[in-house]
Amino acid sequence: MISANTQRRLIRLARKGIVNKTMGEAKGVSCRWVKIAESWGVKFTPKPFEYLRSVFVNQRRGWRLGLGPYCFGLLKITIDDVTYHGYITQIAQIAWQYCVDRGISWAQSREVFKATIRHISRIVKKELGVTAYDLHTENLGFINNRLVITDWGFD
């Protein structure tokens, strides 16, 4: 997907991003997210490594199916006695913003996404063996006009 040199550069940026923005630009229930380059961000959490690893593995498997952003570079950093675990991930445009930018109202897009979410949930269950409990329009996005799941923490 990207060169080893680019991956190393993004990992350095991710470490700086976590240090500088431990509150994160975006917060989910379990993970935070910081943009580190034009198309890349770092997803990180103070939760145990096993949790973050499961999110990472789910996303990698989802990417192979064409349902998730590309990700790499598991990392660990300690700040003020708090250990954060993270990884680099492609940035997706959130689904509702993608629709609004194309003249589709949020209300209209929500109706379309209801059926899409049911369909994607079935694929995730069948192909990955996990239940996508938190799959909703805020956790969907687009990369190069391809719909992806942006939150792989199915806990």
Side-chain angles (χ1 to χ4, degrees), residues 58 61 121 124-133 152 154:
N58 283 341
R61 291 173 68 205
S121 294
V124 168
K125 180 67 173 176
K126 179 182 177 199
E127 299 295 330
L128 304 182
V130 294
T131 302
Y133 291 109
W152 289 89
F154 305 138

